[in-house]
Amino acid sequence: MPDPTPETVSEISELRNRVTAQRQQGARIGFVPTMGALHAGHTSLIEAAGTDCDFVVVSIFVNPTQFGPGEDFEKYPRVLEQDLEKCASAGADLVWTPDTRIMYPDGFATYVTVKALSGILEGATRTNHFQGVTTVVTKLLLSCLPDIAYFGAKDFQQQAIIRRMCLDLNIPVEIKTCPIIRDSDGLALSSRNAYLSKEEREAGLSLSRALRLVEERIAAGETDLASIKAAMQQLLKSTPLLKLDYATIADPTTLEDISSVQSEMVALIAAWVGATRLIDNCRLTSAAAEKS
């Protein structure tokens, strides 16, 4: 028997009415913001929200302000009917589908910027990308006001910025980061993977291979981060069809590049494969740092 289609609303007032009614019944509200084109990574967030919460809201909105000139806003996949089916199967109770008129009404002039974290890594080459992200996520969170909002670890910088934003602006929402979901070949799931040719996909696997290299060397107790970074970068630079943007090891909170091992770290990679930008990362724990 097919899963029932979740209720869909578009206006903010409709969303707030549904959430308020649930909260009055004592429900704990979970929220999963998405841009649609849902895959198993998104549905894992919806399922996590269903485990923690009584009422799960999913938003689907392709946010124009986080796309830069020449990026893929116009061709970004929009497959609402398929997305609604996946929301239903994953256990969503309500799907909110605002349009640009609702999120950015005439005269809109207010933007949210998390300065330090937004100007490095992805922000160094994607000008105003994170300003668009933080602005829309602020609006999404304040429109829904859930107890917990769920984000994927693949967009590691994004979730770090959103945590900082909620802390700085006293937004009363817990941010929960869920693990990266990968295909069987190791490629981190992304809506943009659909753009990859067979040859480009094979090249894209170098990101997860480079991360495994880092994990193995850190797990073996190696402490020479410069050598580890160099090996990671060499693997990526030697991959045909791949143009490396950055590959580094950073502090997981500040995202600043680090030169010596510490107990908690994150390896971060971004690269172009053909016309498609891929990102990936992994958290690292160093026993050697804990002993020092």
Side-chain angles (χ1 to χ4, degrees):
M1 182 175 178
D3 297 287
T5 300
E7 182 183 8
T8 303
V9 298
S10 58
E11 298 292 337
I12 294 174
S13 59
E14 297 175 308
L15 168 70
R16 287 176 172 164
N17 287 341
R18 303 301 190 279
V19 170
T20 297
Q22 290 295 321
R23 200 177 294 286
Q24 288 173 343
Q25 297 175 37
R28 188 167 173 81
I29 310 299
F31 178 52
V32 181
T34 82
M35 293 208 301
L38 304 185
H39 51 64
H42 297 108
T43 56
S44 73
L45 301 180
I46 300 170
E47 290 164 357
T51 298
D52 298 337
C53 302
D54 307 298
F55 189 76
V56 177
V57 180
V58 177
S59 66
I60 297 175
F61 175 65
V62 183
N63 176 38
T65 65
Q66 69 189 69
F67 290 80
E71 292 188 347
D72 58 346
F73 175 69
E74 294 299 333
K75 70 174 184 177
Y76 193 88
R78 293 161 172 83
V79 286
L80 182 59
E81 291 306 314
Q82 295 176 31
D83 287 342
L84 292 176
E85 292 174 3
K86 291 176 181 177
C87 286
S89 297
D93 298 293
L94 180 69
V95 179
W96 176 34
T97 59
D99 60 21
T100 304
R101 168 191 60 85
I102 291 170
M103 299 307 294
Y104 299 104
D106 289 343
F108 184 85
T110 303
Y111 292 88
V112 178
T113 303
V114 180
K115 285 189 175 180
L117 288 172
S118 297
I120 57 177
L121 301 171
E122 289 297 287
T125 54
R126 302 185 69 191
T127 307
N128 294 328
H129 168 70
F130 285 118
Q131 177 179 274
V133 170
T134 46
T135 298
V136 79
V137 171
T138 298
K139 292 174 66 67
L140 294 171
L141 294 179
L142 293 179
S143 296
C144 183
L145 274 183
D147 294 285
I148 310 175
Y150 295 79
F151 294 85
K154 183 179 74 69
D155 297 296
F156 192 89
Q157 186 173 6
Q158 173 180 276
Q159 62 83 40
I161 289 171
I162 289 167
R163 286 177 185 280
R164 183 77 250 175
M165 178 189 76
C166 288
L167 180 64
D168 289 351
L169 298 182
N170 300 320
I171 298 176
V173 177
E174 177 186 346
I175 303 301
K176 187 165 184 178
T177 304
C178 297
I180 295 173
I181 304 298
R182 299 181 181 277
D183 267 332
S184 58
D185 59 8
L187 189 67
L189 293 187
S190 169
S191 301
R192 291 183 169 91
N193 290 353
Y195 302 155
L196 299 172
S197 68
K198 181 179 178 180
E199 294 76 15
E200 289 170 342
R201 185 183 178 92
E202 178 59 36
L205 296 178
S206 285
L207 275 70
S208 57
R209 293 190 187 110
L211 293 173
R212 284 198 300 273
L213 178 153
V214 174
E215 288 180 303
E216 290 166 0
R217 291 177 66 162
I218 292 292
E222 187 168 344
T223 59
D224 186 348
L225 288 191
S227 175
I228 296 172
K229 291 177 188 177
M232 173 171 56
Q233 293 165 3
Q234 178 57 34
L235 187 157
L236 292 159
K237 289 178 179 178
S238 64
T239 300
L241 305 180
L242 186 149
K243 180 181 178 183
L244 180 62
D245 185 351
Y246 60 81
T248 191
I249 300 174
D251 181 277
T253 301
T254 66
L255 302 182
E256 293 177 352
D257 190 78
I258 56 177
S259 57
S260 58
V261 294
Q262 54 190 51
S263 57
E264 296 293 332
M265 303 171 285
V266 59
L268 300 146
I269 298 173
W272 289 94
V273 180
T276 304
R277 185 180 179 83
L278 300 180
I279 59 174
D280 205 346
N281 69 82
C282 68
R283 293 291 297 261
L284 305 164
T285 302
S286 172
E290 292 171 353
K291 293 175 182 177
S292 62

